[in-house]
Every structure is written in structure tokens, then in C-alpha cells.
Amino acid sequence: MALLSGAVLALPGTAAHAADTLISQGKTVTSSSVENGGTSAALAVDGNTGTRWSSAATDQQWIQVDLGQSATISKVVLQWESAYGKAYQIQTSADGANWTTIYSTTTSAGGTENLTVSGTGRYVRMNGITRATGYGYSLWEFQVFGSFGTTPTPTCGTTNAAQGKPATSSSTENGGTPASAAVDGNTGTRWASAAADPQWLQVDLGSSQQLCQVVLNWEAAYGKAYQIQASDNGTTWNTLYSTTTGAGGNETLNVSGSGRYVRVYGTQRGTGYGYSLWEFAVRTGSGTTTPPTGPPVTPGGDLGPNVLVFDPSTPNIQAKVDEVFAKQESNQFGTERYALMFKPGTYSNINAQIGFYTSIAGLGLNPDDTTFNGDVTVDAGWFNGNATQNFWRSAENLHLKPVSGTDRWAVSQAAPFRRMHVEGGLNLAPASYGWASGGYIADSKIDGQVGNYSQQQWYTRDSSIGGFSNGVWNQTFSGVQGAPAQGFPDPPYTTLDTTPTSQEKPFLYLDGNDYKVFVPAKRTNARGVSWGNGTPQGSSLSLNQFYVVKAGSTAANINQALAQGLNLLFTPGVYHVDQTINITRPDTVVLGLGLATVIPDNGVTAIKVADVDGVKVSGLLLDAGTVNSPALLQVGEAGPGAGHAADPIVIQDVFVRVGGVTAGKATNGMVINSNNTIVDHTWIWRADHGAGVGWESNRSDYGFVVGGNDVLATGLFVEHFNKYDVWWKGNGGKTIFFQNEKAYDAPNQAAIQNGSVRGYAAYKVENSVTTHEGWGLGSYCYFNVDPTIIMDHGFEVPVTSGVKLHDILVNSLGGNGQFAHVVNNTGAPTSGTGTVPSNVVSFP
């Protein structure tokens, strides 16, 4: 018989099957809308009935969960907040596009609804039709119960199937640029075509294969418009990918198709030269880069031996802290890692000296929960009073009452001071007042004066200070209450009233006896600290929603955890990975403690973040391995992507190192392709000292490459790369504070020649960019191998009204090399040996 319009297809309240298992918690979840940043879709599958998803206040709204693979669905539980759905459907889908309704009602009463259903699918959604109130739809929890089959997860291989295979091309520029040079595995050789359109390069894989990815490593002469094509006979071609907006650099293209022959077919060059590829890589498999799943991993657990947790009753705290410092004071390139964690309470007579790879943090929800009647100190006695190598350490979430009234934090790069309250002053210089080259403060309250003294540059964000003294070359402030007035270049203060967008770093804390990770909410036009008015805004995640990465964890374990929908908490240690860590679920949190370090062993990219909302990656050191990696961190894929303004991807305190420990290699340090990404405090460093250092020994051409639109960098430190340190290709980018040194070890002028331009700029904005803005930007040269080298300019940008730079400088350190201009052909040259900056207040 016909169903009435209000009939249901399954009955609520029926007892669940005995085999029901909750399979949705922590999985990837999306929604048609959110009410605000504190009610994201992920909060409906976090297992916490104190957090919720809520939609915009219109009828047609939905929330859906991706279970990761097809499942048999037996029950759905809806725990409504007071704003519930009166009419809605429960639907399943195999592909996220075509939906089957397995439950429907027009008479829901809200509350907790246990719905016994029968269906299959990878995706399950609540499709709201009519609201019961004037608000949106709001769910404390959206739970799906059922079981998974044994369908294997499809894979994309990591091997380059094109390497060493026969390659042909439409033309070559000369005898030194044959087609075979693009498939020889050597990024120092290349294929180049004649300077005409169209041109092509193709490779014969030897047999027909399933194709899943093509990687184009362009030389400067790239293809703006081109197609990736496949063929079984080398004559009839199918197009797998097409673009008219190629940006060059490294382009990783996910494709789907099959063929024996694969080619790149160029129809429009990006330059007046031909097409030129260092490498043309083809990967085969079944069409996804998700690694095969293994046995499930167990979430939660202890924090391992290198997280030292103290409470006020712990005996001999000072002795233990001193023991760690004795190991780490000068241990610049060692493998030891430590996190010193202090439970809420008051600690007296503590002076915690912080050495390399050591983090100190309070475990309260607010900094004032953990009080030191004492100090957290960094000085430079180990290096004869010079603090320019005080790297890789951190202090977070503590309330300090310094014994002398002033705490000392004499650091340089990669040493964040976050979410701190100093009831007194803060001295940023070593006791000897030798040089320091820091540094970074965020979300902190310094009641007294910040003494800059010998700090060459410093960035302070979203904080409150009692004052700021002195300045050397570049001191920048955004959103800082009490900041000095704008004064660049004399005094060298760049001051912005607010920070356009910011989201503070996630942190570990104790809720009673339970460890949780707090994820602060996004702020717009922020000023002052995020925690000053009681309970901070954001959400909490149980440690049971994390895979705790400890000694013995493998890349396979880590990827399995991600496939299960878990977040990642890296405990202090050094982790070698033989496959890329692939983060594909929206709002995944990846948090490192104690400068946890990830090293790719076989030339893979260490970490890749998919083009999805809200991923947070923080607190990691990515260290290049001896086999060249395309990049150490990649966010998103090349080409047009989604917008993430409402829930941005945020990268914080993620540091990149190429060389220093060994002769590491990476074509790119960090690649940001996703739109609206925030990169908050990074030091991307091609080593100038340590092991494995040399112009070709630790080769890395590009430090920070941006292909996405509307990317914001706050506190950007990038140094010593062989070509561009920063290469910005996306529109709408913003940088607040940039510190750079050009590579010391360039052997001669010819080694850095960029066509007709002397030297690769420290900060390059592509000519295709129409909108870009930067504040407080500085580049220095110290060519100690050949002091006669001249850079035409430190900054190179298109001359257009939408591209604006404020408060920029170049400097020659002791006269070892010189800059002819600051930006393009503007700005006086540096000269002599006096280390006196050349400044430009505004460009154009």
C-alpha cells in the first residue's frame, strides 16, 4: 500500500543488534554549514556530549560522516540539542554523491533518537528537511553503528614507474637536454624543448598500467597550459588532466586512467623559452594515495619515557630539570628529545634552564593555572655568550614570577614563547649582551617591559606587554597591546593594530586526571591574548581520540591510525618514515611534544595534508633524509582547490631542516597549495653549519613555496636555500614578519645567476600575482665563500597596485657580499663592512 507522507521507513527505539559497533567516532565529517567556528561538524563525532555541531538557521541542511570504507549500517543514534530536526532523512552512499534513504520522519520530537536501520555505504548523513525551532539543526553526537567488510583499501604506489624507461619528445633544445634526462631520477639533468607551442614529452612504461599520479618537476621554463594524456598504442590519446593555469615548480597531479604510454602535452609556455622538466614521474596503482590498512592501532595510552610530568609534591624537581639541561645545553644536533610538563599548582625556587630539543609547558587550561615562583631561562654560556645558535626549544602555558623581576629568554630561530604570563619583565638577550637572532612571542602577557637589546629581529603576535625597549633591524608587532608605535626604520618598529586571522596552537592539558588536547578557536582581527577572560574559546579532544606516537611507531602504524580517524600526538623522539604520512580527514590534529622529529628515509615527502578543512599540524621538526624528497611538508595539491576561510588549515611551530645532522636533500622545504592556509611561526632552514653542509651536499632549491590563494604567514623565517627562499605564486597572500639570510656557501657569482638577474631573490612573488602584501621583511647576505658576490635585490615582486610591501630591508653582514637594491630596482645598495641596513618604507 502507499506510504503516508509522515510515515517512517524504520522504527526508532528498537533494541540494537548485539553486533552493533560504533564506527563513526573520530571519522571524517562534513556539513552543509556551521553556525560558528565553535560548532564544527567534527564536534558531532568526537565522543564528547559537551560539544556539538550546529548549522545555519535554514531548513535544507545536512551533516555526513565518511566511514573510510563501505560498511553495513545497523543503527544510527542522534543526540539532539534543543535545536532539533522535525523532518529529516538518514541516507547512505557509496560515493558521497548518490544517496539512498534508509530512514525518514516528519514527526521527530528531538532528544536522543535510537534508529534501527538497514543499509550499506561508506558515507552516512542526516539530511535535514524541516527545523523544529527558529535556530538551525544542532547535534551533540551523530553516531553510526555497524560493521566493516574486508574490502582492501586501494593504493597508489610510491615508485616512479617512468624512471629509466624509454622517453621521446617532440623536440629538444640541444644535445644536452634529451628526453631521457627527465626520467633518469636525477634532478640535476633536464629535458628542454624548442621555444614553440605545442610540444610534448612521453614515456613508454612497457605495458599498460593503472595510473594514479603524475609529478612534474619543472625547471624555470614551465608549461602554463598543458594536458596529461595516456595511450595504449602511442597514437590514440586520452586526457587524464588538463590545466591552463599551471604555475611551474613541483606539480603533483592525482589522475585516474590506464595506459602504456604517458605524456605531458604542452599547449602554452609560461615563459619565452621552451618547456623544461627536471623530472617527469609516473606512479601506478588503483587511484588513491591512501596506504593499505593494517591491523588496527590502539588510541591513547601513556606519553612515553621522554615526557617528564611533575606536580608540586614531586621531589627534587630542580635536580631533574638540571639533569636534562646538562644533556641538552650544547646538544645541537643530537637525537635526544624532552618535554617537561608541570601539572597545575605552584612551584617555588625553580630555575628551569632550557636547552636544545626541550619543551617546557604547564598542563593547565590557562597559563595562570601553573605558577613558577622562579624562572624559565635560556642563556648562551655554552656558545661564549653568543645566542645566534639557540634554536629548537620552547616554553608554553606557564605563569612566571621571576626571582629578579625579569626572566631571560635569549633565543634565536625555532624557539617559540607561547601562551606565557610573565609577572615581571622579559629580557631577550644573553647575559653578555652578545648577538641573538630570534625570535617569536605569541598569545602571551608580559606585565613588565620586554628588553630587546641585541636581538637583530623579533616578532610578537596577539599579546599584551608593558613596554618594549630598543631595536636593531626589524622588530614587528601585530595585535599587541602595549606595542611601540609604528616607527620603521628609526626606530625599526613595524606595528599592526590587529592580526587579520589567527588560531592559537593546540596544547596538552589535564582535565582532572585525564589528558586532553585543547584546540583554540579561530580569531579574526585579533588583539591581545586569547585566554584573558576565563575559559578559552575552542574545543577539547580526549587523548583516546589520538594515536600516541612513541619509540617503535612506524609510518604504517601512523597511517593506519589516520585511516581509523584518529589524531596524532608525537611524543619526544626521532621517527624515520618510509612512506608519506597522509592526513586526509578534515580537522585532524597533529601535535608534537619536545620537538618530535620526522625523517623521510627513501625520498618520500614526510607529511602531506589533503585539501580539506581545518587540519592542525604543530610542534614538529622535519629533517631531510639523504635521498632527495620533493618536499618535507606539502599542504594540498597543485591546481585550483577548495576555499577554507571558515575553517583554515593551520601549520604552527613546524620547522624544516635540510642538513646539519647529515647531508639531507629536498627540492622544496614546505609547499602550501591549499587556499586560506595559516602558517604561524616556521623556521625553514638549509643548514649553514653542522654535518653534511655544502652547496651541493645539502642541496635544496626552494624553502617556502606557496601555490594557494589567500595564504597568511605570520612569523616566517626561511634561510640559505640554493634558489628562492620564498616563492609565492598564489594571489591574496600576506606575510607579517619575514627574516632571511641568503645561502652563505654560494661558490661564486655564476652559481646563483638567475638568467640575466644576479642572484635569486630571498622573497619572490610571481609576475602572475595581482594581490599580495607584506610587513616587516628583511634579508641579509653573508657570502663567506666568495665575498665579491652581488645580489641585484633581496625582494622581487610584480609592479602592480595590488602588490604592496611595507618596511623592508636588506643588509650585508660585515661586507661579505652586497645587495644592489632592496626590492626590484628600488632602494639604495648596501656597501662597505659596517652592517648597515638599506631600508624601503613602502613599495611601490
Side-chain angles (χ1 to χ4, degrees), residues 70 95 118 524 756 811:
S70 184
D95 56 8
S118 179
T524 302
S756 62
N811 206 347

Side-chain angles (χ1 to χ4, degrees), residues 112-283:
T112 297
E113 296 187 282
N114 291 276
L115 313 175
T116 299
V117 296
S118 179
T120 60
R122 171 174 172 169
Y123 303 87
V124 182
R125 78 174 177 182
M126 186 287 297
N127 185 40
I129 300 169
T130 306
R131 293 164 294 146
T133 72
Y135 299 97
Y137 298 83
S138 184
L139 283 166
W140 296 111
E141 284 294 296
F142 175 39
Q143 296 178 318
V144 178
F145 292 79
S147 60
F148 293 112
T150 58
T151 304
T153 302
T155 63
C156 187
T158 58
T159 302
N160 179 7
Q163 188 169 317
K165 295 297 196 299
T168 54
S169 62
S170 53
S171 66
T172 58
E173 181 182 9
N174 56 56
T177 59
S180 60
V183 294
D184 61 0
N186 183 351
T187 55
T189 63
R190 63 187 176 96
W191 163 71
S193 77
D197 293 316
Q199 300 289 336
W200 53 262
L201 170 74
Q202 74 183 49
V203 62
D204 178 1
L205 303 180
S207 63
S208 184
Q209 300 188 45
Q210 189 70 29
L211 309 172
C212 57
Q213 196 174 78
V214 170
V215 180
L216 304 176
N217 184 356
W218 293 102
E219 196 249 359
Y222 66 97
K224 183 177 181 181
Y226 63 86
Q227 300 164 359
I228 302 299
Q229 300 176 321
S231 172
D232 285 324
N233 54 22
T235 303
T236 304
W237 296 90
N238 296 316
T239 298
L240 309 182
Y241 174 86
S242 180
T243 184
T244 58
T245 58
N250 272 282
E251 296 187 283
T252 300
L253 313 173
N254 291 327
V255 299
S256 179
S258 62
R260 171 176 173 170
Y261 303 88
V262 184
R263 76 175 179 180
V264 54
Y265 184 79
T267 56
Q268 183 183 352
R269 291 162 290 144
T271 71
Y273 300 97
Y275 298 82
S276 183
L277 282 166
W278 294 111
E279 283 296 296
F280 177 43
V282 177
R283 297 194 175 108

Side-chain angles (χ1 to χ4, degrees), residues 320-607:
K320 188 62 180 177
V321 170
D322 288 346
E323 178 186 338
V324 172
F325 179 66
K327 293 178 182 178
Q328 300 302 97
E329 180 182 12
S330 59
N331 192 17
Q332 184 169 180
F333 296 111
T335 58
E336 294 79 7
R337 305 286 187 271
Y338 293 96
L340 311 177
M341 312 294 287
F342 288 79
K343 294 181 180 180
T346 300
Y347 301 78
S348 297
N349 303 313
I350 296 291
N351 180 21
Q353 298 186 80
I354 306 301
F356 285 99
Y357 312 113
T358 305
S359 298
I360 186 169
L363 285 168
L365 191 56
N366 281 299
D368 289 341
D369 294 342
T370 308
T371 297
F372 274 21
N373 291 312
D375 297 80
V376 170
T377 301
V378 176
D379 208 342
W382 75 277
F383 201 49
N384 300 315
N386 183 334
T388 58
Q389 291 186 22
N390 278 353
F391 313 140
W392 303 308
R393 63 199 75 197
S394 68
E396 302 183 49
N397 205 31
L398 291 167
H399 175 203
L400 306 181
K401 296 182 177 181
V403 170
S404 70
T406 300
D407 193 61
R408 185 180 303 280
W409 187 255
V411 298
S412 288
Q413 293 84 356
F417 195 82
R418 285 186 181 270
R419 202 177 165 78
M420 296 286 285
H421 180 194
V422 180
E423 196 171 324
L426 184 66
N427 189 330
L428 304 180
S432 66
Y433 291 93
W435 287 114
S437 186
Y440 176 89
I441 293 171
D443 201 27
S444 293
K445 186 175 187 291
I446 317 299
D447 293 353
Q449 181 169 268
V450 178
N452 183 78
Y453 304 112
S454 55
Q455 279 287 351
Q456 295 162 338
Q457 61 274 315
W458 196 275
Y459 175 53
T460 308
R461 178 182 64 72
D462 297 355
S463 294
S464 172
I465 62 177
F468 194 90
S469 72
N470 195 45
V472 181
W473 298 330
N474 178 19
Q475 279 66 37
T476 300
F477 309 83
S478 68
V480 178
Q481 296 167 338
Q486 170 72 30
F488 187 90
D490 185 20
Y493 297 150
T494 299
T495 302
L496 285 74
D497 190 57
T498 61
T499 305
T501 307
S502 56
Q503 188 162 7
E504 298 305 332
K505 178 183 172 185
F507 60 91
L508 189 70
Y509 78 102
L510 274 171
D511 183 5
N513 294 319
D514 297 326
Y515 285 108
K516 293 183 177 179
V517 171
F518 189 80
V519 184
K522 185 186 75 170
R523 304 171 76 197
T524 302
N525 296 320
R527 179 172 170 82
V529 299
S530 69
W531 46 269
N533 297 314
T535 304
Q537 297 297 304
S539 58
S540 291
L541 300 172
S542 165
L543 199 62
N544 286 329
Q545 293 172 259
F546 285 79
Y547 174 56
V548 180
V549 183
K550 292 180 283 193
S553 297
T554 66
N557 299 147
I558 293 167
N559 279 320
Q560 173 61 37
L562 292 167
Q564 287 176 217
L566 296 173
N567 305 291
L568 300 177
L569 180 70
F570 283 82
T571 65
V574 177
Y575 302 94
H576 289 260
V577 296
D578 58 2
Q579 58 182 250
T580 296
I581 297 171
N582 281 301
I583 302 165
T584 60
R585 178 176 62 85
D587 297 306
T588 298
V589 174
V590 178
L591 175 62
L593 304 178
L595 280 294
T597 302
V598 178
I599 303 176
D601 281 337
N602 54 353
V604 299
T605 296
I607 298 176

Side-chain angles (χ1 to χ4, degrees), residues 693-713:
V693 172
W695 185 247
E696 295 296 343
S697 300
N698 62 325
R699 181 88 192 184
S700 191
D701 284 349
Y702 307 106
F704 184 65
V705 181
V706 181
N709 294 328
D710 301 308
V711 171
L712 171 65

Side-chain angles (χ1 to χ4, degrees), residues 697-780:
S697 300
N698 62 325
R699 181 88 192 184
S700 191
D701 284 349
Y702 307 106
F704 184 65
V705 181
V706 181
N709 294 328
D710 301 308
V711 171
L712 171 65
T714 52
L716 179 61
F717 299 75
V718 190
E719 297 188 303
H720 307 148
F721 285 81
N722 294 80
K723 293 185 178 179
Y724 297 128
D725 296 278
V726 171
W727 189 4
W728 211 295
K729 307 175 188 180
N731 266 314
K734 291 183 173 69
T735 297
I736 304 174
F737 182 88
F738 169 65
Q739 185 267 327
N740 166 264
E741 288 179 346
K742 293 302 298 176
Y744 294 174
D745 55 348
N748 49 51
Q749 188 77 50
I752 63 166
Q753 194 70 13
N754 182 13
S756 62
V757 178
R758 292 178 296 180
Y760 286 81
Y763 192 103
K764 164 70 173 177
V765 179
E766 269 299 325
N767 290 334
S768 58
V769 171
T770 57
T771 54
H772 186 90
E773 198 159 8
W775 297 263
L777 316 175
S779 176
Y780 322 134

